[in-house]
Amino acid sequence: MSVMLQEVNDDNMTSKNKLLSRQLLDWYDAHARVLPWRAKPGETADPYRVWMSEIMLQQTTVATVGRYFLAFTSRWPSVADLARAELDDVLREWAGLGYYARARNLHACAKAVVADHGGRFPDTEQELLSLPGVGPYTAAAIAAIAFDRSAAAVDGNVERVISRLSAIETPLPGAKTEIRARTLELVPAQRPGDFAQALMDLGATLCIPKRPNCLICPWMTACRARELGVAEALPVKAPKKQRPVRNARIFWAERADGAVLMRRREEKGLLGGMLEFPSSGWATGKEKADLAPPYASGWVTTKKQIEHTFTHFHLVLDLQQTDEVFDDLPAHDGDWRWVARHQLATEALPTAMKKVAVAMLGSDVFRRV
DNA sequence: TACGCGTGGAC
DNA sequence: TGTCCAAGCGT
């Protein structure tokens, strides 16, 4: 079935497109990067590892993903292992990688693969698309890389490469449809998975955002943007909005044994399911902000301040503390707990909260022994 | 369609 | 040093 479709696709390819595909695959054979999740020549790709890497790589650099990928695949070698894990353990292991909905969806997806697909990843783009956390790019990438399906995996790299190759000057995201169509024209019947990876490698190493290395690019002579001298100006992107500032107070409390008071955030939304130190609301604008503590105590300022920039706002946290030494949890709503200092390093703390802990306790608390 | 959603590296 | 931005997805 898929072979027939691929042959049709191959017949429909122009000789010019076939040449481009071959040039890129030749370049890939000579320059492919060695990455932990990538099958070596002759090896069969493991769908579980391909999926895991693709989720982690969403909006995240290869260098950052490396150690997380090794930690996850060591601890949970198969999708069945991951499906059996506790969500809290997954979130702890994900802490620091960001976009925590990915971790929740990763866990939900593993469960779905076990419950609905007998523990094997589906091998079509359409079925993959129905899994939690798997969108159009990731479905195409897994279909191509893990199952050798003819699919156009269009990520930020591919958008850049293709918009330059064809000198597409329509601003993103409006140009997505056109870029996808142009990419599909280039996907070869043979080695679609290698082609997908080659396209992304090209974007990551040569066809980079600033100062692209056109002189050693396998597509140098075909690239319309280079011909027109506009490669670095593409792709055109819609202007970004500036980030507002939000202000809040953190209320630092300790128990007699030195444990610190923390609470679990709501399951959904910003930092969903992660731990935080009790705080006021995170309001926009210093004047309007309600900076009241979540419970009464003798709060005084520490004169310490933490700043952290998220995707869509900048956060300024004033750190307050109390002399009160607690025996039990103060009156509260939600999931609050005392966390021993030596446990902080292995808890699901987002980076902003790690900064708070470091300001109060010193950087030694995150030195894993 | 547009927005909410993290982080660390490169420059 | 601030800005940009990376293998996007869900709503």
Side-chain angles (χ1 to χ4, degrees), chain A residues 131-247:
Chain A
L131 295 170
V134 177
Y137 160 74
T138 305
I142 297 172
I145 297 169
F147 300 112
D148 224 30
R149 297 275 190 184
S150 220
V154 182
D155 70 336
N157 286 307
V158 177
E159 286 177 350
R160 186 169 56 254
V161 172
I162 298 300
S163 68
R164 287 173 177 172
L165 176 68
S166 298
I168 295 169
E169 306 205 17
T170 310
L172 286 168
K176 279 178 180 288
T177 305
E178 186 179 354
I179 291 171
R180 180 181 165 72
R182 181 69 184 110
T183 306
L184 214 43
E185 290 177 359
L186 294 166
V187 176
Q190 305 298 322
R191 304 176 64 193
D194 284 345
F195 179 80
Q197 296 178 91
L199 209 40
M200 290 186 281
D201 270 16
L202 185 68
T205 60
L206 299 185
C207 196
I208 52 182
K210 301 286 169 63
R211 298 170 61 96
N213 207 337
C214 300
L215 294 181
I216 56 174
C217 178
W219 283 351
M220 176 176 69
T221 58
C223 183
R224 290 278 295 145
R226 169 177 152 70
E227 188 182 339
L228 298 169
V230 296
E232 191 165 352
L234 297 180
V236 180
K237 294 189 176 181
K240 297 176 182 61
K241 301 200 310 183
Q242 69 171 21
R243 279 187 275 261
V245 176
R246 294 190 197 178
N247 293 276

Side-chain angles (χ1 to χ4, degrees), chain A residues 26-357:
Chain A
D26 286 347
W27 174 82
Y28 183 70
D29 287 337
H31 300 282
R33 291 181 293 174
V34 177
L35 302 171
W37 45 85
R38 196 169 264 183
K40 296 176 180 63
E43 284 183 2
T44 304
D46 177 354
Y48 173 65
R49 293 166 65 86
V50 172
W51 162 74
M52 176 80 73
S53 69
E54 289 301 339
I55 301 300
M56 289 183 169
L57 286 163
Q58 289 168 5
Q59 298 289 284
T60 309
T61 58
V62 165
T64 301
V65 164
R67 62 193 171 92
Y68 285 89
F69 178 81
L70 294 176
F72 270 73
T73 51
S74 305
R75 183 166 178 179
W76 300 294
S78 75
V79 67
D81 297 320
L82 184 59
R84 281 191 294 268
E86 293 293 330
L87 175 59
D88 277 350
D89 287 330
V90 175
L91 287 173
R92 280 191 194 92
E93 209 67 65
W94 196 275
L97 196 52
Y99 284 141
Y100 298 98
R102 292 186 297 170
R104 303 193 296 274
N105 284 330
L106 186 85
H107 190 235
C109 183
K111 289 187 162 211
V113 167
V114 168
D116 305 335
H117 300 277
R120 289 175 171 274
F121 278 85
D123 63 356
T124 66
E125 212 174 335
Q126 188 181 348
E127 288 178 289
L128 287 161
L129 197 51
S130 71
L131 295 170
V134 177
Y137 160 74
T138 305
I142 297 172
I145 297 169
F147 300 112
D148 224 30
R149 297 275 190 184
S150 220
V154 182
D155 70 336
N157 286 307
V158 177
E159 286 177 350
R160 186 169 56 254
V161 172
I162 298 300
S163 68
R164 287 173 177 172
L165 176 68
S166 298
I168 295 169
E169 306 205 17
T170 310
L172 286 168
K176 279 178 180 288
T177 305
E178 186 179 354
I179 291 171
R180 180 181 165 72
R182 181 69 184 110
T183 306
L184 214 43
E185 290 177 359
L186 294 166
V187 176
Q190 305 298 322
R191 304 176 64 193
D194 284 345
F195 179 80
Q197 296 178 91
L199 209 40
M200 290 186 281
D201 270 16
L202 185 68
T205 60
L206 299 185
C207 196
I208 52 182
K210 301 286 169 63
R211 298 170 61 96
N213 207 337
C214 300
L215 294 181
I216 56 174
C217 178
W219 283 351
M220 176 176 69
T221 58
C223 183
R224 290 278 295 145
R226 169 177 152 70
E227 188 182 339
L228 298 169
V230 296
E232 191 165 352
L234 297 180
V236 180
K237 294 189 176 181
K240 297 176 182 61
K241 301 200 310 183
Q242 69 171 21
R243 279 187 275 261
V245 176
R246 294 190 197 178
N247 293 276
R249 286 178 180 156
I250 293 282
F251 298 96
W252 182 272
E254 296 186 8
R255 199 168 58 180
D257 63 0
V260 295
L261 184 57
M262 301 200 74
R263 63 186 182 190
R264 192 176 192 274
R265 292 179 61 88
E266 293 292 327
E267 193 71 38
K268 292 186 174 179
L270 181 72
L271 308 176
M274 304 294 284
L275 289 187
E276 68 175 1
F277 300 104
S279 71
S280 66
W282 298 9
T284 300
K286 207 159 192 167
E287 293 74 19
K288 291 183 179 178
D290 175 9
L291 299 177
Y295 61 94
S297 189
W299 298 112
V300 294
T301 181
T302 65
K303 298 181 180 175
K304 297 177 193 291
Q305 200 170 66
I306 289 302
E307 298 195 20
H308 187 76
T309 303
F310 293 89
T311 310
H312 53 297
F313 67 93
H314 183 78
L315 180 65
V316 180
L317 295 173
D318 290 312
L319 309 190
Q320 306 251 324
Q321 63 183 346
T322 176
D323 285 338
E324 185 174 352
V325 178
F326 296 81
D327 293 319
D328 297 305
L329 291 171
H332 65 279
D333 294 321
D335 183 359
W336 293 41
R337 61 187 73 168
W338 294 102
V339 177
R341 292 187 183 194
H342 73 270
Q343 280 187 322
L344 286 171
T346 55
E347 284 294 350
L349 264 65
T351 295
M353 295 302 142
K354 285 190 177 177
K355 289 182 182 176
V356 172

